[in-house]
Amino acid sequence: MKQFARSPKDIGQAIRQARKGKNLTQKDLAVKSGVWQETISKVETGVASTRVETLFALLAALDLELAVLPRSRGSQADLEDIF
Amino acid sequence: MKQFARSPKDIGQAIRQARKGKNLTQKDLAVKSGVWQETISKVETGVASTRVETLFALLAALDLELAVLPRSRGSQADLEDIF
DNA sequence: CAGCTTTATGATTTAAACGTCATAAAGCGT
DNA sequence: ACGCTTTATGACGTTTAAATCATAAAGCTG
């Protein structure tokens, strides 16, 4: 239920997953975030890159935030149950 | 040594901190990441927002990645020693 | 299948970031 | 204070994303 991201595509997938987890449509999220449904579609599918402003607008609307972490660390599985 | 980010400015601070932690100048990071020194300066100080592509180029050059996390969770202090 | 909802795609306009160059300002060691 | 390094700022042109509108495609559900 936590996502690691090393590319815009990863972020898109994380957003989609979080959105669906909250049972929101792209339109719902568009209303909450002020970002267009069309833009959300493009971000989630990774067809277009985004600006970080847009990214944070979506994350905020989904009650998410980012953590900046070193790439080299224990296996992800170890952390699964912490969050 | 891990940073949480809810805004472009937070990301900039995290990048600066990570860069300094590795004793790299903006110019060094520019060479490694392919992003201009001037751009890095603007990102770190938060004067301009960025594209996620640029963000990930910098994170990759610093051996960092992102984690997408829910905002509501245990105090950050609890996690400090995990990463 | 038909109809409705949801998501994807495509074009156009507008706005903003990036590369680029130049240069100023700030830091730092001697 | 004087250089040298590092970082910041400003301007300009090019590239790219977001808004916007239209519409197509995909997913459901009866």
Side-chain angles (χ1 to χ4, degrees):
Chain A
M1 215 297 193
K2 139 217 20 29
Q3 294 283 349
F4 293 90
R6 299 183 174 190
S7 70
K9 193 161 295 191
D10 291 345
I11 288 282
Q13 290 176 221
I15 286 175
R16 165 158 294 183
Q17 190 167 318
R19 175 178 63 79
K20 291 195 167 173
K22 294 182 183 271
N23 279 322
L24 298 173
T25 67
Q26 288 183 352
K27 185 69 194 147
D28 293 335
L29 181 56
V31 171
K32 287 191 75 172
S33 65
V35 177
W36 246 245
Q37 176 267 316
E38 291 88 337
T39 298
I40 295 172
S41 169
K42 287 163 190 167
V43 169
E44 288 187 355
T45 53
V47 306
S49 194
T50 352
R51 291 185 300 154
V52 288
E53 273 188 344
T54 305
L55 174 61
F56 279 112
L58 296 176
L59 293 175
L62 290 167
D63 277 308
L64 299 174
E65 67 183 346
L66 297 180
V68 182
L69 311 168
R71 287 195 176 194
S72 46
R73 64 187 140 60
S75 76
Q76 299 185 188
D78 298 341
L79 302 168
E80 288 295 344
D81 44 359
I82 291 167
F83 297 103
Chain B
M1 217 300 186
K2 138 221 17 32
Q3 295 284 346
F4 293 89
R6 297 182 175 190
S7 69
K9 193 160 297 191
D10 291 344
I11 287 282
Q13 291 175 219
I15 286 175
R16 165 158 294 184
Q17 190 167 319
R19 176 177 64 78
K20 291 196 168 174
K22 294 182 183 271
N23 279 320
L24 297 173
T25 67
Q26 288 182 353
K27 186 66 192 148
D28 292 337
L29 182 55
V31 171
K32 286 191 74 170
S33 65
V35 177
W36 245 244
Q37 176 267 316
E38 291 87 337
T39 299
I40 295 173
S41 169
K42 286 162 191 168
V43 168
E44 288 187 357
T45 53
V47 307
S49 194
T50 355
R51 290 183 300 155
V52 289
E53 274 189 343
T54 305
L55 173 62
F56 279 112
L58 296 177
L59 293 176
L62 291 167
D63 276 308
L64 300 173
E65 68 184 346
L66 298 179
V68 182
L69 310 167
R71 285 195 178 194
S72 47
R73 63 188 141 60
S75 77
Q76 298 186 188
D78 298 341
L79 301 169
E80 288 295 344
D81 44 358
I82 291 169
F83 296 104

